[in-house]
């Protein structure tokens, strides 16, 4: 499988700050990128996805994609303690290009 | 919609025993994925199906693992014989297109 790299963290930010989560990937053929959030003991849940280079905003979340650098990031504005979780980056890849290949995730801790 | 349903939620078995994990995808979803999650290796793709046909099983660790999808509403992942290193959380996910997956609640497998 192609590699997806994320800093495992923990990334600690105070409440109200911006959290920046980064991800690099090795498969140049990947065209779509997904961010999932996973609370401890729970299943991953989709936050947002991005297809095109540039920024995509959804509420407090902004995904950024740079295909030339093979880099994708997730910004969380006005971080809340409820955002404390593990964030998983997942490019579409696999044999037919239709399977999510997950990084190991970055653990975010937001302190109040 | 009941979401992706996995059973059992927890399974404790002795080494050498056969283990069968079950998954019911969301109605109308035509892709089904099996993942395994451990602290060391993160979320690994084991196998996925499209329209009930296995597309890529390169993530299946050994011949002890097998998966079937006899119809659009049911899939099984079988481990025979089970070993302690198979202990992990096994997730099933389904999707109708490339807009992301919905995960089940997972099966926590412990092999003693």
């Amino acid at each position: 499988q192609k590699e997806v790299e994320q800093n495992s963290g923990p990334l600690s930010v105070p409440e109200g700050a911006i959290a920046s989560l980064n991800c690099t990937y090795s498969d140049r053929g990947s065209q779509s990128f997904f961010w999932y959030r996973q609370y401890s003991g729970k299943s991953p849940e989709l936050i947002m996805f991005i297809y095109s280079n540039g920024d995509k905003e959804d509420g407090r979340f902004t995904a950024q994609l740079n295909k030339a650098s093979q880099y994708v990031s997730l910004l969380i504005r006005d971080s809340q303690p409820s955002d404390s979780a593990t964030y998983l980056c997942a490019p579409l890849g696999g044999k037919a290009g239709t399977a999510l290949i997950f990084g190991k995730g970055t653990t975010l801790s937001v302190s109040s | 919609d009941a979401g992706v349903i996995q059973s059992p939620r927890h399974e404790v078995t002795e080494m050498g025993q056969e283990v069968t994990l079950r998954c019911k995808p969301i109605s109308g979803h035509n892709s089904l994925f099996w993942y395994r999650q451990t602290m060391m290796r993160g979320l690994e793709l084991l196998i996925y199906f499209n329209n009930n046909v296995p597309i890529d099983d390169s993530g299946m660790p050994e011949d002890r693992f097998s998966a079937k999808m006899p119809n659009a509403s049911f899939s099984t992942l079988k481990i025979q014989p089970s070993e302690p290193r198979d202990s992990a959380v096994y997730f099933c996910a389904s999707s109708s297109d490339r807009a992301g997956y919905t995960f089940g609640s997972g099966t926590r497998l412990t092999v003693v």
Side-chain angles (χ1 to χ4, degrees), chain A:
Chain A
Q1 289 184 2
K2 302 293 185 178
E3 294 292 322
V4 180
E5 299 290 338
Q6 295 182 256
N7 188 324
S8 63
L11 173 65
S12 298
V13 301
E15 183 175 358
I18 296 175
S20 177
L21 306 161
N22 305 315
C23 172
T24 58
Y25 60 94
S26 63
D27 185 359
R28 287 195 170 274
S30 295
Q31 296 296 315
S32 307
F33 304 84
F34 296 76
W35 282 99
Y36 279 76
R37 175 176 62 199
Q38 187 175 26
Y39 292 111
S40 181
K42 301 295 185 182
S43 56
E45 54 183 350
L46 180 65
I47 298 174
M48 65 187 301
F49 55 88
I50 185 167
Y51 298 147
S52 303
N53 277 328
D55 295 359
K56 178 182 179 183
E57 187 174 315
D58 184 358
R60 296 188 295 112
F61 299 95
T62 298
Q64 299 175 317
L65 174 60
N66 184 325
K67 291 183 181 179
S69 300
Q70 297 177 246
Y71 175 88
V72 59
S73 65
L74 180 70
L75 301 178
I76 306 174
R77 290 182 300 280
D78 188 23
S79 295
Q80 301 296 310
S82 59
D83 295 326
S84 298
T86 296
Y87 289 81
L88 302 165
C89 168
L92 260 184
K95 197 172 184 178
T98 56
L100 291 179
I101 307 301
F102 285 88
K104 291 184 180 180
T106 298
T107 299
L108 172 66
S109 177
V110 182
S111 56
S112 57

Side-chain angles (χ1 to χ4, degrees), chain B residues 4 10 12-13 17 20-22 36 41 43-44 52-53 62 67-68 71 79 92 96 98 100 102 108-110 112:
Chain B
V4 177
H10 302 273
V12 180
T13 191
Q17 295 299 305
T20 300
L21 311 181
R22 297 173 176 80
R36 176 174 69 175
R41 300 175 69 88
L43 198 57
E44 301 175 279
N52 311 338
V53 176
E62 300 171 31
K68 294 182 180 180
N71 57 62
I79 308 172
C92 174
S96 61
R98 299 187 180 192
T102 301
R108 182 173 295 277
L109 174 64
T110 303
V112 297

